[in-house]
Amino acid sequence: MHNATLKSLSAQLAGRTVSSVELTRHFINRINRLNGKYNCYITLDEGASLKQAEAADRKRAAGSGQALTGIPIAWKDIFCARGWRTTCGSRMLDNFVSPYDAHPVEQFGAAGAVILGKTNMDEFAMGSSSETSHYGPVRNPWDVNAVPGGSSGGSAAAVAARLAPGATGTDTGGSIRQPAALSGICGLKPTYGVVSRYGMIAFASSLDQGGPLARTAEDLALLLNVMAGFDARDSTSLEREREDYARELGRPVKGLKIGLPKEFFAAGAAPGVVKAVEAALAEYRRLGCETVDVGLPNMKLSVPVYYVLAPAEASSNLARYDGVRYGHRAPEYSDLADMYRKTRAQGFGAEVKRRILIGTYVLSHGYYDAYYIQAQKVRRLVARDFAEAFKRCDVIMGPTSPTTAFRIGEKMGDPVQMYLNDIYTIPANLAGLPGLSIPCGFDEKNLPVGLQVIGNHFAEARMLNVAHQYQQATDWHMKVPPGIEIQ
Amino acid sequence: MALSPDDVKRAAHLARIAIDEGEAQAVLAQLNGIFRLIAEMRAVDTRGVEPMSHALDVVQRQRGDRVTEGDQRTLLQSVAPHVEGGLYLVPKVIE
């Protein structure tokens, strides 16, 4: 049951060959048995999950089921869910039980989906390895001594280890696509503004975007159908007609123009990654696609730009954690200022503090124009590169990440090395473009490689079509991590 | 341009994060590494380029000036560290 795709589970629920209670219990049992090995869930609430499952079964029995009615979904612990502890991987929110639902949580609730649990992540989504969590590192199902990527590493590992049929994540600089790649699954970051940020704990608001993780492109489409939608409570939510993201899945890709930015294939990517991506491109050519060279000359500036903009926005967003209204408060202090300082020193981990300090510095008097405004200008140059490239192609392809999964602890002592890991994913965030990652092979260590597909704004349905057609012709997405029984 | 320990302490003060001498020294080396990375974008010629604050350059949506939120004080204060009589308690600020 746990190796079935979400699409197939949906059909089984619709055909009444399995109930949501049975399905949810099955996954909870697996999580209870295996979470110690992977550390992908922070919080479970069996009672709450089963109550939702019972309601879903009643909804199905009454004939009002939808695609996701009764499907258990893992939620990155950055999404507020009423009555659920929502920690964002931080000691600061260790005791925070959300009094309200995020917009995507509301939408999945209305569709009858079940909250299976809240998944582990880098603290406040700041990281590329899921090691900065207050709750300890997540382990990669393909190799438990390797990281699953981050920041949505708990969600990615849960899907890869068959501890959830689908999950949610957020992507500010690659936090859905990179863990999907390193964990051998699929992940999609939609166009900025497609998924509401209401109730999604803020990191860098001009870049943050929620999206789904699953094992097939088709499952991503089903999840995005529920996750996307206009919400007036997010000032940057886009007012658009609802669309069916699965509508183009069956379309042949013959004639598709694939742009290959030379910057994605220049020095930096590991040979095993390049080899798998080249093989995927050869497969697309066999399917009748054409490849064209495009340039993203300012791409190399993306990481420096990101490490001004994201910390600047984070330093502002995280100012709210003051120990007054919710979250951690230092047990001892002399006055109000001392309470703030100690609360924040105790509640935040090293990486979060580092980014707040960078952000505070670049926004401080005398530095704002030289850093923040300059970064916003260079951001536009990166976005223009993409606009030029999309005049010549339908989608852009390349590696999702320069390497496969690295060892736990390997990059923790060197923030710059960790940051450079996001070189291929950050550009799409800066330009607000949709990007997805699908498995396309393995390197010499037998660790999964991700193929990244970047589309123009609102091209999600086409990108999912492009990914789905590849998955009809190949079986990389069907591979199961070692030691996971699939009965 | 390298940061000094005083720059770190000043940023920590502005961010209201307690930091001692040892931590300031430790974080300084890492921040300088990050600022060397950031320096790459400072040299770019951006004359005539408009700063980009939103990916799609949309304009701020507006709504009518009406009350849309009901009173949820009890619910929202249920997660507060210290409340009394519907008020958030903090150390005395004004003598």
Side-chain angles (χ1 to χ4, degrees), chain A residues 305-348:
Chain A
V305 165
Y306 180 84
Y307 279 96
V308 172
L309 297 181
E313 294 182 20
S315 71
S316 168
N317 273 326
L318 273 63
R320 72 189 66 178
Y321 302 104
D322 56 7
V324 174
R325 289 153 305 156
Y326 50 83
H328 177 72
R329 179 188 287 198
E332 285 173 26
Y333 40 83
S334 56
D335 54 24
L336 185 64
D338 192 49
M339 185 184 96
Y340 291 153
R341 286 194 296 265
K342 285 185 176 148
T343 292
R344 291 165 64 79
Q346 294 165 7
F348 295 137

Side-chain angles (χ1 to χ4, degrees), chain A residues 14-302:
Chain A
R16 321 278 316 181
T17 54
V18 68
S19 71
S20 176
V21 168
E22 286 166 332
L23 191 59
T24 303
R25 259 193 219 289
H26 178 76
F27 277 104
I28 289 172
N29 289 343
R30 277 185 67 75
I31 295 164
N32 286 336
R33 197 152 53 80
L34 295 167
N35 195 48
K37 190 171 171 187
Y38 306 114
N39 197 29
C40 42
Y41 285 89
I42 293 174
T43 304
L44 296 169
D45 185 342
E46 194 173 330
S49 299
L50 289 172
K51 213 169 140 191
Q52 280 187 308
E54 285 162 13
D57 284 334
R58 284 194 297 274
K59 203 168 166 178
R60 288 270 185 193
S64 51
Q66 301 163 39
L68 296 191
T69 305
I71 300 276
I73 301 291
W75 283 86
K76 184 178 185 179
D77 207 16
I78 197 168
F79 289 97
C80 288
R82 189 174 180 141
W84 283 81
R85 183 167 76 130
T86 300
T87 71
C88 222
S90 181
R91 181 183 180 199
M92 187 63 90
L93 292 175
D94 182 60
N95 62 2
F96 179 69
V97 175
S98 176
Y100 73 109
D101 279 337
H103 182 251
V105 172
E106 278 179 0
Q107 302 221 99
F108 275 81
V114 173
I115 298 176
L116 189 51
K118 305 295 288 293
T119 60
N120 205 349
M121 54 181 284
D122 280 301
E123 185 179 5
F124 285 105
M126 297 178 193
S128 310
S129 66
S130 301
E131 292 172 285
T132 69
S133 170
H134 175 60
Y135 304 93
V138 182
R139 291 175 179 276
N140 191 319
W142 294 91
D143 176 352
V144 292
N145 295 312
V147 304
S151 66
S152 312
S155 285
V159 171
R162 276 60 176 169
L163 298 179
T168 59
T170 57
D171 190 316
T172 305
S175 282
I176 289 174
R177 291 161 288 157
Q178 186 258 15
L182 270 50
S183 301
I185 61 155
C186 309
L188 168 69
K189 179 200 94 73
T191 305
Y192 180 83
V194 162
V195 172
S196 168
R197 292 182 293 106
Y198 179 79
M200 200 177 97
I201 296 172
F203 161 18
S205 302
S206 82
L207 303 163
D208 294 345
Q209 183 60 202
L213 297 102
R215 296 216 313 280
T216 68
E218 189 170 29
D219 286 357
L220 290 179
L222 295 178
L223 290 166
L224 188 60
N225 275 348
V226 173
M227 203 169 184
F230 172 69
D231 173 22
R233 297 165 300 184
D234 167 3
S235 65
T236 58
S237 174
L238 297 169
E239 228 165 331
R240 305 180 74 244
E241 294 244 336
R242 274 208 172 270
E243 58 177 295
D244 174 12
Y245 292 99
R247 71 184 184 276
E248 292 196 43
L249 290 177
R251 178 175 168 187
V253 289
K254 191 172 185 313
L256 180 84
K257 271 197 182 157
I258 301 172
L260 303 179
K262 51 184 177 298
E263 294 81 2
F264 272 41
F265 297 89
V273 169
V274 173
K275 203 175 148 194
V277 170
E278 297 279 8
L281 295 171
E283 184 61 41
Y284 275 108
R285 287 191 198 99
R286 262 195 296 280
L287 293 170
C289 304
E290 196 187 319
T291 52
V292 292
D293 290 329
V294 295
L296 298 175
N298 292 295
M299 190 193 98
K300 60 180 185 302
L301 299 168
S302 298

Side-chain angles (χ1 to χ4, degrees), chain A residues 82 96-97 99 192 206 230-232 234-239 300-301 303-304 307-308 323-327 329 333 335-336 339-341 344-345 353-354 356-358 360-362 364 370-371 373-381 383 416 419-420 430-432 457-458, chain B residues 1-3 7-8 10-19 23 27 30-31 33-35 37-61 69 72 75-83 88-93:
Chain A
R82 189 174 180 141
F96 179 69
V97 175
Y192 180 83
S206 82
F230 172 69
D231 173 22
D234 167 3
S235 65
T236 58
S237 174
L238 297 169
E239 228 165 331
K300 60 180 185 302
L301 299 168
V303 176
Y307 279 96
V308 172
V324 174
R325 289 153 305 156
Y326 50 83
R329 179 188 287 198
Y333 40 83
D335 54 24
L336 185 64
M339 185 184 96
Y340 291 153
R341 286 194 296 265
R344 291 165 64 79
K353 285 183 202 170
R354 211 151 41 222
I356 292 174
L357 292 177
I358 297 167
T360 305
Y361 182 82
V362 300
S364 64
Y371 285 102
I373 296 296
Q374 171 73 354
Q376 285 193 322
K377 289 178 176 176
V378 181
R379 179 180 183 181
R380 186 172 299 280
L381 298 181
V416 170
Y419 296 174
L420 289 172
L430 294 178
H457 295 121
F458 312 116
Chain B
M1 182 201 70
L3 270 65
D7 289 327
V8 175
R10 187 171 137 268
H13 168 69
L14 290 172
R16 301 295 185 267
I17 296 175
I19 186 168
E23 287 172 310
V27 83
Q30 289 170 330
L31 292 187
I34 296 164
F35 275 95
L37 176 77
I38 291 173
E40 287 174 43
M41 66 113 218
R42 291 194 63 196
V44 178
D45 183 355
T46 53
R47 278 172 299 182
V49 180
E50 271 295 296
M52 179 174 172
S53 56
H54 186 285
L56 297 169
D57 287 326
V58 295
V59 292
Q60 188 72 39
R61 206 170 46 243
E69 291 283 329
Q72 302 191 69
L75 174 67
L76 297 179
Q77 289 193 334
S78 67
V79 289
H82 208 168
V83 286
Y88 293 99
L89 292 195
V90 294
K92 195 168 175 181
V93 181

Side-chain angles (χ1 to χ4, degrees), chain A residues 181 184 272 276-277 280 404 438-443 446-451 470 476-477:
Chain A
V277 170
T404 55
I438 51 172
C440 70
F442 295 85
D443 72 352
N446 213 26
L447 291 168
V449 176
L451 172 74
Y470 176 79
W476 297 116
H477 62 293

